[in-house]
Every structure is written in structure tokens, then in C-alpha cells.
Amino acid sequence: MSDSDSEVPLERSISAPDPEEHTYEDAHASDPAILSEPGSPSLGPGLVPNILTQLSFSLDSFISQNLEEELTELPVLANQLYNNLLQDITKTKHQLRHHVGSTKRQIRHQVDSTANNLKSQIDTSMLIWKQNMKKASVVRFIDKIAFTLGMFECCCTPWLVAQYPEWIPFVHTLQTVVLIAVRYFIYKKKSFHYFLLDMCYFVNVAIILYLYVFPQSESLLGAVWLLSHGPLAFAIITWRNSLVLHSLDKVTSVFIHISPCIALYTVRWLYPDPDHTRFPSLKTLDTLPTTQSLAAAIGLYLTWQVLYYVLVVVRQKEKIKAGKRVTSYTWLLNDDKGGTISKVAHTFGEKYSIVTFMGMQLLYTFLTCLFALVVYRSFKLNTVFLVTLFLVSVWNGASYYMEVFSKQYEQQLNKLAAEVTNAVAANQIAHDQAEHRQENQQGEHLEQLKEELKEEQEPTPKSVSDKKTD
């Protein structure tokens, strides 16, 4: 077989259609109804992209529609979630607040209960302590201790002045702070703490300022010297300060009037500092300049007087008038005994009594400061003056012991004797009553015995009838 013969059938087999195969056109020619049916994807490769496009579009539509629905529902869900979360937080907050409040109330109740129990225990202890402190034996023991300490102080101060004068300013300051602090707490309970605003306390503060803050000030030295050796020192005589060693109040009163004089006396005459390096103001002040010193002293006094009048007399007028506070002015001006100071202060009437008293006090301050100028110039005169003040306070204390304290002691003895007499009388009455009851009981017992004997001696009616029958 040649090559041409073999190629013809192969080409024919490729190009000629198979009689058994049918095309879409053949089916259309044979059956026109096929036009109404949709074409099958498998019927032609041209329909595959359209189907994919439709599927893609349908899928996009489905996804976009569902996504839009989800996006529409998302704010609602978020808002609902936020509201639920907010409600949970609010609920938790209320629960925590309730729990914290309940815990706080429990703790507060426990604290209040503990505080009340502690306060009750303290009040009970204080009541027992006060009752024990009021016992005669305890009072006498405390008075003995106070008397011993007071006497020790009276002995130590001259010894320190003679042997260690450089310690006197410090000792004076320490004792001043302690005694005034103790007096404040004692007077505060009695509403007497306005007494601590008087001039003597003001001068004590000024002296401490001079000793430690302004030792170079000549004006301050002149002022505190005149005021301490003038109105403060003479107050021991004027107000009859008494050195009653077992009374802290009376010892403090003597101290605040005489101790400033002793401190400045030591600085002026006995302080071991010949170059005056500790107190430079003493270098050029062998004598106090009269005008300058008086002006400084009166100026310091008027400063205190103005402050006292504004802060106490004016601003605390209602409390003082109502009796809630007591001052030295009201104490002196309302003297029930009608003292000389009260009578003179009321010369121009009740309305001007305080102003009149202030004028009297200013005159008193000026006159006593004149004497203090003279004392500054003489060591011997200064020494005699301080010894005299001490003796006056001792004399006043002795008068108190002999006249006041002895009377109180006598009254206590009389009271004790009356109590003993009443107790003896009560015992005698009880003894007499007991004897009377005993006699009555014995009499009743004797009567009972007599009756029993009579009953035993008299025959009964039955025994008599028996005898008759016999």
C-alpha cells in the first residue's frame, strides 16, 4: 500500500462526521421545542463563563445581603452587650457598695463598742482613783511629798545661785515651762485659764526671750528688769502670795513672781562671764538709763494691756458675763468682801470699773518701776530686797498654816469627834435596845414556864370523873 492511499482514509476519518453523532443544530431542526428549554452547560464550552458569572454574582449577592444584615444587627448587639455589661457593672458596684457599707458599719460598731468599753473602764478607774485620792491617808501622803519637794527647792535655789550661777537661767526656764503647763491644765478644768493671760505670765515670757533670743537688747533688758523687780516682785506683798509648800497652786504663784527676779539678779551680779559674751547688753549698762528703761517697760506693759483688753475683755465679753470664764479683773472687781481695790475701781461706777482698774494698775506699775531703777544700781540693796520678798512669802505661808490650815484641821478634828460621838451614841442605843429585847424575851419565857407549871398541877376533867367512879 502506498503512502497516498493510507493518508486519505485518515483525513476522511477526521473530517467526516459520524452518522451516529448529532449536533445542537440537528436537534433544533428535528425538534423546535428544544428552544424553550435552557441550554445545558455541557452542551457547549461557551456557556461555562456565564454560569460562573451567575454563580459569582449570586454568591456576592448572598454574602452582601447577609453581611448587610449582620452589619445592621451588629450595633444593636453591641448596644445590647454594652447595656448588659453596664447593668452588670452597676449591679456589682451596688453589691460592693453594700458590702463595703456593711463592713464599715460592722467595723464602726466594733470600734465604738471597744471605745465605749475602754472609756467605761477608764471612767471606772478614774472614779476609783479619785475616791482613793480623797482618802485622808492619801491626801496627807501627797501633802508630805509636796512639802518635802518645796523645801528641797528652797534649799537648792540658793545653793545653785552661789555655786553654779550659770545654771540659773536654764533652771528658771525649765521650772517656768513645767509649772505654767501644769497650772494651765488644772485651771482649764475650772475655766480659770484666762488667769494665764495676766501680766506676770507675759513678763515671764519676755524674760525667756531676753535670756535666749535677744541677750544683746539693752531696751529689753531694761524693760524686763523694771517689770520683774517692780510690779511682779511687789505682787508678793500686794496680793499676799503665800509659800505654802504642800500647795502646788500657792507655790506656783510665789514662783512666777520671785523667780524672774532671782534669774535676772544672777545674770546681773553673779554670772561668771566678765567679758559679757553671753549677755552683751550688760557691757555698757552699769546703770539703767532712766528715760529709756521706763519708756521700754511702760511700752511693754501697754502692749500687753491693749492685747488683753481686745482679746479678753472685748472679744470674750459674753462668756465672761455669762460666768463661763473667770479673769483676774472679774475676780477682783466682784470681790464679795468689798476689798479696797474693788471699792476704788468702782469710784466712777460699774461701767468704768475696768478702765479705772487699768489706770490704777498703770500707776502701780510706774511707781514700782521707779524703785526697780534704784535696785539695779546696788548689789546689796538687790540682795536685801529679794531676801525680804522671800521672808514675806514665808510669813504669809506661816499665817496660812496657823490661821487657815489650823482652822481647817480643827474643823476636821471636830467633825471626826462628832462622828465618833455619834457612833458611840448609836452603839449605846443599839446595846440598850438589845438588852431590852433580851429582857422581854426572858419575861415571856418565864410567863410561858409558869403557864406550863399551872397546866401540869391542875387535873384534867377526865381524871376527876374517873376518881368519882372509883
Side-chain angles (χ1 to χ4, degrees):
M1 179 182 276
S2 62
D3 297 333
S4 59
D5 294 334
S6 61
E7 292 175 358
V8 173
L10 181 61
E11 180 180 358
R12 182 179 299 173
S13 63
I14 296 173
S15 61
D18 190 357
E20 296 180 358
E21 296 178 356
H22 300 277
T23 62
Y24 180 78
E25 287 80 2
D26 295 336
H28 176 68
S30 61
D31 191 3
I34 200 170
L35 292 174
S36 60
E37 296 179 3
S40 176
S42 62
L43 295 179
L47 295 176
V48 174
N50 294 330
I51 293 173
L52 293 175
T53 302
Q54 292 177 359
L55 288 175
S56 176
F57 177 76
S58 299
L59 183 61
D60 291 341
S61 301
F62 177 77
I63 292 173
S64 62
Q65 183 177 0
N66 290 336
L67 183 61
E68 184 177 357
E69 292 177 357
E70 293 294 334
L71 291 176
T72 304
E73 295 177 356
L74 184 60
V76 178
L77 293 174
N79 190 18
Q80 185 178 1
L81 180 61
Y82 173 76
N83 292 331
N84 294 334
L85 183 62
L86 186 62
Q87 291 177 359
D88 293 339
I89 292 174
T90 304
K91 184 178 180 181
T92 305
K93 186 192 297 183
H94 287 304
Q95 292 177 352
L96 288 175
R97 185 178 297 173
H98 177 72
H99 179 70
V100 170
S102 177
T103 306
K104 186 187 295 185
R105 286 190 295 271
Q106 292 177 359
I107 295 174
R108 185 179 298 172
H109 178 71
Q110 293 177 357
V111 171
D112 293 339
S113 178
T114 304
N116 291 331
N117 292 333
L118 183 60
K119 184 179 179 181
S120 178
Q121 294 176 2
I122 293 174
D123 292 340
T124 304
S125 301
M126 289 297 295
L127 181 61
I128 296 174
W129 180 78
K130 289 180 179 179
Q131 291 176 353
N132 292 331
M133 291 298 292
K134 291 180 180 179
K135 292 182 179 179
S137 59
V138 177
V139 173
R140 285 194 297 267
F141 179 73
I142 294 175
D143 289 345
K144 291 177 182 179
I145 293 177
F147 190 94
T148 303
L149 293 177
M151 184 58 68
F152 179 76
E153 167 71 16
C154 293
C155 294
C156 282
T157 300
W159 177 73
L160 285 175
V161 171
Q163 294 295 325
Y164 302 99
E166 65 275 11
W167 282 89
I168 290 298
F170 172 75
V171 173
H172 164 75
T173 304
L174 179 62
Q175 291 179 336
T176 301
V177 173
V178 172
L179 290 177
I180 292 179
V182 172
R183 170 165 280 192
Y184 172 78
F185 287 109
I186 294 175
Y187 277 22
K188 178 68 175 178
K189 295 179 180 179
K190 301 177 182 179
S191 298
F192 287 175
H193 50 286
Y194 281 6
F195 278 97
L196 274 69
L197 299 176
D198 289 348
M199 185 185 67
C200 51
Y201 301 95
F202 182 78
V203 175
N204 273 272
V205 174
I207 290 174
I208 293 175
L209 290 177
Y210 167 73
L211 293 176
Y212 296 99
V213 182
F214 306 107
Q216 74 284 354
S217 176
E218 296 181 359
S219 298
L220 185 58
L221 172 61
V224 296
W225 179 275
L226 296 184
L227 292 175
S228 62
H229 284 77
L232 255 69
F234 278 92
I236 296 176
I237 302 172
T238 306
W239 310 119
R240 293 181 57 84
N241 291 152
S242 305
L243 189 60
V244 181
L245 296 179
H246 76 276
S247 174
L248 179 62
D249 185 63
K250 293 184 179 300
V251 169
T252 303
S253 297
V254 174
F255 175 85
I256 62 175
H257 291 103
I258 197 172
S259 184
C261 302
I262 296 174
L264 293 178
Y265 167 84
T266 305
V267 170
R268 170 73 175 94
W269 303 110
L270 303 175
Y271 199 85
D273 185 16
D275 296 331
H276 302 292
T277 56
R278 175 66 179 83
F279 299 101
S281 58
L282 292 171
K283 286 183 179 180
T284 58
L285 286 183
D286 291 334
T287 59
L288 290 176
T290 303
T291 304
Q292 181 180 353
S293 299
L294 283 174
I298 299 301
L300 191 62
Y301 166 80
L302 290 177
T303 301
W304 163 79
Q305 187 66 87
V306 172
L307 291 174
Y308 187 91
Y309 184 80
V310 173
L311 298 178
V312 178
V313 177
V314 176
R315 293 193 176 184
Q316 305 300 327
K317 181 179 179 180
E318 298 299 328
K319 290 184 178 180
I320 295 172
K321 187 176 181 180
K324 297 180 179 179
R325 297 292 185 270
V326 181
T327 66
S328 58
Y329 284 8
T330 57
W331 186 275
L332 293 171
L333 296 178
N334 298 327
D335 188 3
D336 295 334
K337 298 180 181 180
T340 304
I341 296 176
S342 177
K343 291 180 180 179
V344 175
H346 287 83
T347 302
F348 302 101
E350 179 70 23
K351 183 178 180 180
Y352 301 100
S353 59
I354 293 180
V355 177
T356 305
F357 181 78
M358 289 180 179
M360 294 167 54
Q361 195 171 19
L362 177 61
L363 179 62
Y364 165 81
T365 301
F366 178 77
L367 294 177
T368 53
C369 284
L370 291 177
F371 177 80
L373 283 172
V374 180
V375 170
Y376 185 86
R377 300 180 181 182
S378 173
F379 170 75
K380 293 181 180 180
L381 180 60
N382 198 352
T383 305
V384 171
F385 179 62
L386 293 183
V387 172
T388 303
L389 292 177
F390 178 75
L391 291 176
V392 170
S393 66
V394 172
W395 177 264
N396 293 335
S399 300
Y400 176 84
Y401 277 113
M402 296 300 105
E403 297 176 5
V404 179
F405 191 73
S406 61
K407 289 182 180 179
Q408 293 179 355
Y409 186 70
E410 183 180 356
Q411 290 176 359
Q412 291 178 357
L413 290 178
N414 293 332
K415 182 179 179 181
L416 181 61
E419 292 178 355
V420 172
T421 303
N422 293 332
V424 172
N427 291 331
Q428 185 65 35
I429 293 173
H431 180 69
D432 294 341
Q433 292 177 351
E435 289 183 351
H436 183 67
R437 284 195 301 268
Q438 187 175 3
E439 292 177 355
N440 292 335
Q441 291 177 356
Q442 291 178 355
E444 293 176 357
H445 184 64
L446 290 175
E447 293 293 335
Q448 186 177 1
L449 289 175
K450 289 179 179 180
E451 291 179 358
E452 291 178 355
L453 290 173
K454 286 181 179 181
E455 291 178 356
E456 290 178 357
Q457 293 177 358
E458 293 179 356
T460 60
K462 184 177 180 181
S463 60
V464 174
S465 61
D466 290 339
K467 287 182 179 181
K468 287 181 178 181
T469 54
D470 292 340

